[in-house]
């Protein structure tokens, strides 16, 4: 059974993700609880019991987080139920997913092509959005490499657990 502090943390996380990203509060609550629960892997039923939610609400939140590549669903050998856990190995989980920004480049370029003969004032928003998205596509890989080096230094110093403990 989760502690009051764990549930409070899950609730705070749910409110943050709802306010900041427009996610359903249960999605954020699930992410928050999976960040602090023990064991790290939980079944849908265990999550529903812990968060005092229906299994369908948890299943919907799991589906949303799987779609965002923030969690993994797996089944241990011999088990009949799936378990879920946070997965920090994806570019989406770490914020280094370039596809989102490349799509923004493509979309804003489509708008710029449509407005090719329009005055610069009319194209201003698209021009700046396009330039910003291109900037992120160019610089995020460099930041990711810096992060990976920094993370390895933190692991070497014992400030972060080794990789096998985070998967």
């Amino acid at each position: 059974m989760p502690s009051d502090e764990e549930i409070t943390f899950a609730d705070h996380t749910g409110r943050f993700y709802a306010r900041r990203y427009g996610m359903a509060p249960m999605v954020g609550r699930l992410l928050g609880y999976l960040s602090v629960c023990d064991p790290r892997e939980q079944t849908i039923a265990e999550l529903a019991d812990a968060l005092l939610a229906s299994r369908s609400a948890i299943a919907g939140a799991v589906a949303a987080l799987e779609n965002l590549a923030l969690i993994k669903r797996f089944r241990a050998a011999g088990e009949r139920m799936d378990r879920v856990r946070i997965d920090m190995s994806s570019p989406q989980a770490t914020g280094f997913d370039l596809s989102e920004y490349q799509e923004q480049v493509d979309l804003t370029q489509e708008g710029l092509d449509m407005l090719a003969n329009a005055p610069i004032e009319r194209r201003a928003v698209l021009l700046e959005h396009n330039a910003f998205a291109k900037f992120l596509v160019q610089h995020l890989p460099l930041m990711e490499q810096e992060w990976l080096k920094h993370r390895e230094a933190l692991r070497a110093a014992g400030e972060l657990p080794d990789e096998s403990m985070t998967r």
Side-chain angles (χ1 to χ4, degrees):
M1 195 60 155
S3 69
D4 289 343
E5 292 86 5
E6 290 169 331
I7 295 302
T8 298
F9 177 77
D11 290 344
H12 290 171
T13 305
R15 284 195 293 275
F16 169 79
Y17 280 92
R19 182 183 75 249
R20 188 72 173 169
Y21 300 109
M23 293 181 176
M26 183 53 70
V27 175
R29 288 185 73 219
L30 179 58
L31 195 56
Y33 184 68
L34 285 171
S35 297
V36 298
C37 65
D38 186 31
R40 291 183 50 221
E41 298 86 12
Q42 300 278 310
T43 67
I44 300 292
E46 290 168 339
L47 292 165
D49 288 345
L51 295 172
L52 303 175
S54 69
R55 289 182 184 192
S56 63
I58 297 297
V62 165
L65 292 171
E66 271 185 311
N67 188 48
L68 295 170
L70 297 177
I71 63 171
K72 286 238 188 224
R73 184 190 304 243
F74 65 96
R75 185 175 295 185
E79 285 193 352
R80 295 181 6 194
M81 291 179 281
D82 288 345
R83 294 185 178 276
V84 295
R85 67 180 157 139
I86 290 183
D87 177 26
M88 291 298 295
S89 67
S90 73
Q92 294 90 336
T94 55
F96 292 115
D97 180 19
L98 292 180
S99 67
E100 175 182 349
Y101 303 109
Q102 186 58 57
E103 286 181 49
Q104 289 179 30
V105 168
D106 297 343
L107 185 60
T108 55
Q109 189 60 55
E110 178 184 341
L112 288 169
D113 292 346
M114 180 183 65
L115 298 177
N117 296 322
I120 194 167
E121 296 80 15
R122 184 168 177 203
R123 296 180 292 132
V125 170
L126 289 173
L127 285 167
E128 187 164 347
H129 191 162
N130 183 269
F132 180 65
K134 285 179 179 177
F135 176 86
L136 290 174
V137 167
Q138 181 181 8
H139 287 87
L140 275 177
L142 304 171
M143 289 177 58
E144 182 178 23
Q145 290 305 310
E146 287 181 37
W147 161 245
L148 294 174
K149 287 178 189 174
H150 182 67
R151 183 182 68 185
E152 287 309 311
L154 292 171
R155 286 181 174 157
E159 295 180 42
L160 284 178
D162 69 31
E163 193 169 3
S164 66
M165 296 180 76
T166 60
R167 290 197 179 199

